[in-house]
Amino acid sequence: MAEVVDVRARVLAANEEAAARLRGRFGADKALVLNLISSPGSGKTTLLEASVRALGGRLRLAGIEGDIATERDADRLRAMGIPAVQILTGGACHLDARQVGKAIDGAGFPAFDVLFIENVGNLICPTSYDLGEDFKVALLSVAEGDDKPFKYPAIFARAEVTVVTKSDLLPHVTFDLDAVRAQVAVLNPGGRMVVTSSKTGEGIGEWCALIEERLAAKRRTAR
Ligand SMILES: Nc1nc2c(ncn2[C@@H]2O[C@H](COP(=O)(O)OP(=O)(O)OP(=O)(O)O)[C@@H](O)[C@H]2O)c(=O)[nH]1
Ligand SMILES: [Mg+2]
């Protein structure tokens, strides 16, 4: 058991080093990097498509898509006109910083202002792996149940932003937005919550404004 703990600690330490190198690189480029984490099907790629529609004319965007299999999500972003690369983990339930570094080196992306990293769909293992991002984003769709922040506390505590997705479905499901807001406030007192629907556009303006504010702040402070 002690050996398992030791190996895990070493893996995480190596990841931290790779993440620190990436963070230095993103800082030098003054590029904002988001790490999106949620259960499968919560609406990560659809939110990115809506974000590209809203921000694409003003900002240079790029995407890294993490999945077990298929190029589908990277294809969806490329179809929106932004450069995107797919990382296939072949079974691993999260992305790590070395994979992200290799993907960027191999992709030959043109310079970007904002890089979206969509992690493998899963609320648990991606939480521990720093990808050099500026902040993590936890997505929770209204179809998943309003008890999830307290059931999966690590991600909602670490994500600077919680995006509730699929708000257009609220009339059809039992989901108490205030209960979710209260759980997120307990887990992450400084965190923000944005309620969105990529279908109706609700909250997309607020979400994109948040990205633009964070990018502007990074440009002011990054050296
Ligand atoms: N009604 C509604 N459906 C949505 C919304 N956003 C996404 N969906 C649907 O939810 C399904 C999953 O969306 P994706 O964006 O592929 O979800 P994902 O989180 O990227 O999924 P994985 O990459 O497999 O983890 C699709 O059928 C979308 O059309 C929304 O705002 N409202
Ligand atoms: Mg996706």
Side-chain angles (χ1 to χ4, degrees):
M1 186 63 189
E3 268 176 41
V4 174
V5 173
D6 191 40
V7 170
R8 185 174 150 76
R10 270 189 276 139
V11 167
L12 286 174
N15 188 73
E16 291 299 316
E17 278 177 32
R21 283 195 295 275
L22 277 177
R23 187 164 282 112
R25 184 168 165 178
F26 298 144
D29 292 346
K30 301 191 181 202
L32 187 74
V33 181
L34 282 62
N35 179 2
L36 282 80
I37 297 174
S38 81
S39 303
S42 298
K44 297 180 290 299
T45 313
T46 310
L47 179 68
L48 295 186
E49 290 168 333
S51 308
V52 174
R53 268 192 293 277
L55 291 171
R58 294 200 292 283
L59 298 177
R60 299 167 300 172
L61 308 174
I64 293 181
E65 292 289 339
D67 277 294
I68 305 286
T70 86
E71 284 264 335
R72 291 180 67 125
D73 284 2
D75 283 343
R76 285 172 64 182
L77 294 189
R78 288 191 282 259
M80 299 295 300
I82 71 164
V85 64
Q86 185 79 46
I87 298 176
L88 295 180
T89 66
C93 56
H94 62 85
L95 293 177
D96 65 44
R98 277 181 48 204
Q99 287 171 322
V100 170
K102 269 170 77 177
I104 292 175
D105 288 341
F109 283 150
F112 51 81
D113 302 308
V114 180
L115 173 66
F116 296 109
I117 304 176
E118 178 179 338
N119 222 307
V120 180
N122 172 343
L123 278 175
I124 306 156
C125 18
T127 308
S128 310
Y129 287 81
D130 184 354
L131 303 180
E133 71 272 357
D134 289 279
F135 59 97
K136 290 182 172 55
V137 181
L139 286 79
L140 173 63
S141 80
V142 302
E144 290 168 67
D146 53 23
D147 56 352
K148 293 302 171 285
F150 276 174
K151 290 186 73 179
Y152 300 90
I155 182 55
F156 291 95
R158 287 183 196 172
E160 189 177 304
V161 183
T162 294
V163 177
V164 173
T165 58
K166 310 192 189 184
S167 66
D168 57 287
L169 298 180
L170 277 170
H172 309 289
V173 294
T174 304
F175 187 91
D176 183 344
L177 271 177
D178 288 335
V180 172
R181 216 182 289 281
Q183 291 167 67
V184 170
V186 168
L187 293 167
N188 190 347
R192 272 182 72 172
M193 186 170 121
V194 185
V195 179
T196 67
S197 166
S198 297
K199 197 166 180 183
T200 66
E202 181 187 357
I204 299 299
E206 184 183 352
W207 159 247
C208 291
L210 184 156
I211 292 172
E212 290 193 285
E213 280 161 24
R214 290 292 263 103
L215 175 63
K218 184 163 188 180
R219 284 178 172 163
R220 279 196 300 275
T221 56
R223 280 178 289 144

